[in-house]
Amino acid sequence: MKVFLSMIAALVVVGVLAVLALIFWPLERTTADQLALADDVMAWPDLAENERPRAAAIAADCVACHSTDDGAEYAGRRAFPTPMGTIYSSNITPDPETGIGNYTLDQFRAALVDGVDARGGQLYPAMPYTNYRSMSERDIRAIYSYFMNEVDPVRAPDKAAEMTFPFNLRFGVRAWKWLAMPDPGFNAPDDAILARGAYLVEGPEHCGDCHTPRNMLYIQDGYTASDERFMSGGDLQGWSVPSLRGDDGAPAKWSAAALTAYLATGRNAHSATGGEMTGVVGHSLQHLPASDLEAIVAYLRHLAPNGGGDDDAPEPADRTRASEIWLAASEGGTAEILASADPDALSEGGRLYLDNCSACHMIDGKGGDSVFPKLDGNSAVTAASPKGLVSTILNGARLPSTKGAPLCLAMPGFADRLSDVEVAELASFVRGAWSNKAGDVTAEDVGNLRN
């Protein structure tokens, strides 16, 4: 028995020492040489040298996370709710006291790709440093130059994270990194356009940070196309994030022109942005050179199992006369039932749709091309998870004002107008109307998202 207890005690001591070593033993810092492997895909042949710093910062979409709607750009304090608590982005203006004005290039690189601040503190993985590890040294130097020389310093102290125990102990992030961090560097495909697209998607634009599912340890399920679950969709802050490499994803259905229009303007004849994607388009994608958008689209279509779709737009409804709109035929007779406005024929969801939605999205669910998103066949509507649809009904949505589509269109939220039961009835109706065949939504589903 004594021998057995001694063995148990020894195992406990070894385990404790192993955990302490895991937490406190220093991780190797990523070097410039390791990141220089991606320098050859930092193309931008049409940009002058002095334009590259701002272009690199735009490609990394720094402003979207490090700015609030009512604050200065890059001054931080934007809230990121997580299941473990709320994280606030930091001030990354060159203010020497509250920002990054005193950061050296090596310290900046460490924050960007290793998740370590200038004091050696561990950054929470809301900062997409796991994705930024694919970035080129040339890009990192350009972004550093942009913040130090082109951004105005703003005095704005960081807001402390509000994390629950034990996630408020940042040394735990140190242990998490041992499991989560991919190797630094970028492996470029042989094709030059695909290489540029892969670099932007996997690195600076960090698309996988939202579009790739995470496991129970919040570790992203893959960082490159060689990982089967990379870009296969997930959930983010109450929104259902679509897969970009499955049979039902936009790249597998839409034409290259339709996909480009969506990325550049936030809308096309099929759909419109919602949630975090609105900011991505408004702050970053719309400002990329046309060659970069072409490369991203080529890469996303390359991920699709069929090599990319060819659908430019749904068949346009004949709307030359108002009567033809209201008598439009559709599968299952949904349009005719709505057109009749017969209280005996309308379900509660149908009545709610007629009262609140049909003026913009039409009774045939086709909406208005590039103005009001169609609901019939919309992948966000028919997704396995109804979170995106319910979040949109509750909170509304606003399209970004972009160079290609400057009109800023907004859908109001109905959280104050409709109860959980009513939102569930409406969402269930839309998910089963016209050609849609998705499952019902419960009032409990709505209540969870509302709260």
Side-chain angles (χ1 to χ4, degrees):
M1 179 61 71
K2 291 183 178 180
V3 174
F4 176 74
L5 293 176
S6 298
M7 291 177 61
I8 294 297
L11 288 173
V12 169
V13 171
V14 170
V16 170
L17 291 175
V19 170
L20 291 175
L22 188 67
I23 292 173
F24 295 108
W25 192 268
L27 280 170
E28 287 188 20
R29 296 292 177 89
T30 302
T31 66
D33 290 341
Q34 290 173 298
L35 300 173
L37 298 174
D39 282 351
D40 57 349
V41 294
M42 168 60 173
W44 289 334
D46 301 327
L47 292 183
E49 194 64 33
N50 64 345
E51 296 176 308
R52 292 178 184 272
R54 181 173 182 274
I58 287 174
D61 200 14
C62 306
V63 70
C65 293
H66 289 274
S67 308
T68 58
D69 293 338
D70 57 354
E73 285 192 349
Y74 304 115
R77 300 176 72 87
R78 181 181 174 186
F80 290 87
T82 78
M84 293 78 73
T86 302
I87 302 167
Y88 297 90
S89 60
S90 57
N91 179 355
I92 56 172
T93 72
D95 180 68
E97 294 183 12
T98 64
I100 60 171
N102 291 327
Y103 271 56
T104 66
L105 173 61
D106 287 343
Q107 290 171 332
F108 183 80
R109 184 191 303 107
L112 208 61
V113 303
D114 295 324
V116 179
D117 65 23
R119 298 181 300 275
Q122 304 296 328
L123 301 177
Y124 284 114
M127 166 73 172
Y129 45 78
T130 52
N131 300 88
Y132 284 161
R133 291 171 74 78
S134 295
M135 287 179 62
S136 73
E137 175 65 12
R138 186 176 182 181
D139 265 352
I140 290 172
R141 289 175 181 267
I143 295 172
Y144 179 74
S145 172
Y146 173 73
F147 281 111
M148 294 304 171
N149 300 311
E150 300 183 39
V151 173
D152 293 329
V154 177
R155 182 173 177 76
D158 289 340
K159 189 171 183 178
E162 300 166 356
M163 303 294 281
T164 58
F165 179 83
F167 305 104
N168 59 335
L169 305 175
R170 288 196 183 234
F171 63 74
V173 178
R174 171 68 179 74
W176 179 87
K177 289 179 180 178
W178 278 94
L179 301 172
M181 297 284 267
D183 292 335
F186 173 72
N187 295 318
D190 293 335
D191 181 89
I193 294 179
L194 286 181
R196 180 64 178 162
Y199 172 72
L200 289 166
V201 169
E202 296 172 9
E205 290 290 349
H206 55 281
C207 305
D209 194 48
C210 293
H211 284 275
T212 302
R214 295 175 182 271
N215 63 23
M216 62 182 298
L217 296 178
Y218 202 69
I219 297 173
Q220 191 172 308
D221 284 339
Y223 297 94
T224 69
S226 62
D227 302 301
E228 291 184 359
R229 288 171 59 80
F230 177 67
M231 301 291 280
S232 63
D235 291 326
L236 178 69
Q237 296 182 21
W239 294 85
S240 178
V241 182
S243 169
L244 296 182
R245 69 183 303 168
D247 293 318
D248 293 331
K253 290 184 174 181
W254 298 352
S255 69
L259 191 53
T260 301
Y262 182 85
L263 297 178
T265 68
R267 68 208 80 182
N268 60 21
H270 299 278
S271 189
T273 60
E276 295 296 319
M277 191 64 189
T278 298
V280 174
V281 171
H283 293 302
S284 180
L285 292 176
Q286 69 154 322
H287 300 293
L288 295 183
S291 59
D292 276 359
L293 285 178
E294 176 190 357
I296 290 174
V297 168
Y299 176 69
L300 293 179
R301 287 167 62 82
H302 176 72
L303 291 180
N306 63 348
D310 58 6
D311 192 358
D312 277 311
E315 287 296 322
D318 184 357
R319 292 174 176 160
T320 56
R321 295 179 304 174
S323 60
E324 291 178 353
I325 298 176
W326 289 96
L327 295 176
S330 73
E331 184 177 338
T334 302
E336 290 93 327
I337 293 173
L338 289 172
S340 72
D342 182 352
D344 294 328
L346 283 171
S347 65
E348 177 68 5
R351 181 190 66 77
L352 289 165
Y353 180 85
L354 199 61
D355 288 347
N356 298 285
C357 315
S358 62
C360 295
H361 297 286
M362 302 296 180
I363 61 167
D364 59 2
K366 300 298 184 185
D369 293 355
S370 300
V371 181
F372 304 117
K374 69 165 187 158
L375 302 180
D376 182 16
N378 189 314
S379 60
V381 171
T382 60
S385 169
K387 287 183 177 180
L389 174 62
V390 173
S391 292
T392 302
I393 295 173
L394 288 174
N395 305 311
R398 180 179 295 273
L399 293 179
S401 175
T402 60
K403 295 179 292 184
L407 187 61
C408 182
L409 299 170
M411 169 185 158
F414 292 88
D416 295 335
R417 177 173 176 173
L418 302 179
S419 69
D420 290 353
V421 172
E422 289 173 322
V423 172
E425 291 283 353
L426 174 57
S428 296
F429 170 80
V430 172
R431 283 167 63 81
W434 311 291
S435 65
N436 298 340
K437 294 180 174 61
D440 288 343
V441 179
T442 68
E444 184 180 5
D445 295 332
V446 178
N448 289 337
L449 282 173
R450 188 192 292 268
N451 295 329

